[in-house]
Amino acid sequence: MAPRCWRWWDWSAWPRIQPLSASNFTSFCQHFSTQKNPQICVVGSGPAGFYTAQHLLKHHAQAHVDIYEKQLVPFGLVRFGVAPDHPEVKSYGAEDHQTLEIPGEELPGVFSARAFVGWYNGLPENQELVPDLSCNTAVILGQGNVALDVARILLTPPEHLEKTDITEAALGVLRQSQVKTVWIVGRRGPLQVAFTIKELREMIQLPGTRPILDSADFLGLQDRIKEVPRPRKRLMELLLQTATEKPGPGAAHQAMATRTWGLRFFRSPQQVLPSPDGRRAAGVRLAVTRLEGVGEAAQAVPTGDVEDLPCGLVLSSVGYKSRPVDPSVPFDFKRGVIPNIEGRVVDVPGLYCSGWVKRGPTGVINTTMTDSFLTSQMLLQDLKAGLLPSGPRPGFAAIQALLSSRGVRPVSFSDWEKLDAEEVSRGQGAGKPREKLVDPQEMLRLLGH
């Protein structure tokens, strides 16, 4: 049985920062105090955790912050984010995904977009995924930025990904991919899509591909978009132009395209259809919908009609979802958040939350930064008002002693620097920024653990 390994780091540039995953959370946090020199525990080393720590340290000169992380490497889904060709926008950090809750969801060939993203970005827990891309058609359920990112990775010529930090194993599978068509399906219409214009423009301009949009889906849209906010208006105008314009001289590259992608609107998944032998996914049965209400608040309701869409790969991209931290911490299972008021955990003095576990899986890294700063401000206000538990606490010394008694050896920050150097070295030969280590046991062997 492999030895358990917890992770911590000591950064000389900041007051000591040490990552570790939480267990028996309430007693764990009781080791930390809020006296004149407050000791503060942050669980999770993704953007929300680091931004919270940054704000605390900037605004309280005596603060001592310990960050705890369950992975062997730091930075959460900044490292394991959405797309290797978008390193500047990696920012997604909930640990689970919303299930479809439809028959056939368990069939081979059906994956969550979150797991698929983790696979090509080197998240250790997703390395056994190895999707079968021998089919001609893939269907992505959901019309957000994650859906477009996944579609782009499936259709991008592999040679265009070779210089990114995508894992070599994923790149090898993509080189053998037979996927030529990707359908991106949404329950509602064009006015309600959740992706942004940047991601849409990249899809339209993707080499070797052409878009398929039904102009009938856009009837009357020109008049309706006049009153929407400017960013949404620009997005709608690009969609409308792509759906209705006639091919011109500049569209020659699309005429020669060997791969296609399309947006299917007003469709809600009812069932994943099995192959004749029942061994894998062979299509998706979609309920045709219509909208009740207007604008982004409009709801999709079934019309009674259905449509079958053949495919060999189904990716669910209908939302991320946080998991409960520990039974001792309140958790709203329906919303996937810790009940809180401006970051203060309800009925648990001294406990705070930030990021998606605070507000739900919405927003990008700038949203997370602002949200984390607000949580930090609430903590500092409560500290100044004397509302937090006081008295001496041992802080990390108690955790370190506990780990030692259990024979658990943490990974230090200097250990991470060794892993970082190894990844960069492995990537240099291929002209990549790094070749990520994905096997935890290999990481520990490299460190001599």
Side-chain angles (χ1 to χ4, degrees), residues 62-81:
Q62 286 74 44
H64 178 115
V65 180
D66 298 300
I67 300 182
Y68 292 80
E69 168 62 49
K70 71 177 183 179
Q71 300 288 344
L72 280 81
V73 293
F75 313 132
L77 292 189
V78 169
R79 175 182 170 96
F80 304 118

Side-chain angles (χ1 to χ4, degrees), residues 97 100 102-113 115 129 131-132 139 141 271-273 280-284 311-316:
H97 66 280
L100 295 170
I102 59 175
E105 187 173 9
E106 74 291 343
L107 285 168
V110 182
F111 305 97
S112 73
L129 193 72
D132 182 355
V139 169
L141 301 172
Q271 178 185 355
V272 177
L273 302 172
R280 62 173 295 106
V284 182
C311 64
L313 177 67
V314 180
L315 295 167
S316 167

Side-chain angles (χ1 to χ4, degrees), residues 151-152 154-157 179-182 200-212 251-262:
R152 191 178 66 255
L154 282 170
L155 295 176
T156 295
V179 175
K180 298 294 188 292
T181 300
V182 176
L200 175 62
R201 188 178 291 116
E202 283 187 292
M203 287 300 297
I204 294 170
Q205 298 173 352
L206 194 62
T209 69
R210 62 182 177 87
I212 304 173
H253 72 284
Q254 291 189 354
M256 301 294 292
T258 59
R259 298 183 177 188
T260 59
W261 62 273

Side-chain angles (χ1 to χ4, degrees), residues 3 6 24 55 79 84 96 105 166 179 193-194 234 237 255 286 343 348 355 359 365 386 424 434 441:
W6 293 82
N24 198 6
H55 194 268
R79 175 182 170 96
D96 213 337
E105 187 173 9
I166 192 170
V179 175
V193 295
R234 291 176 59 238
E237 288 173 343
L286 302 169
V348 188
R359 68 181 189 275
I365 196 164
V424 171
R434 68 177 61 242
Q441 294 307 312

Side-chain angles (χ1 to χ4, degrees), residues 52 117 160 172 245 275 293 300 338 408 428:
T52 301
V117 166
H160 290 208
E245 71 177 359
S275 58
I338 294 175
V408 178
Q428 283 178 342

Side-chain angles (χ1 to χ4, degrees), residues 44 77 87-88 98 110 113 155-156 160 177 200 221 228 243 259 291 325 374 414 430 432:
L77 292 189
E88 76 284 0
Q98 298 279 6
V110 182
L155 295 176
T156 295
H160 290 208
S177 173
L200 175 62
L221 187 64
V228 301
R259 298 183 177 188
L291 295 185
V325 178
L374 290 173
S414 61
K432 302 174 63 174

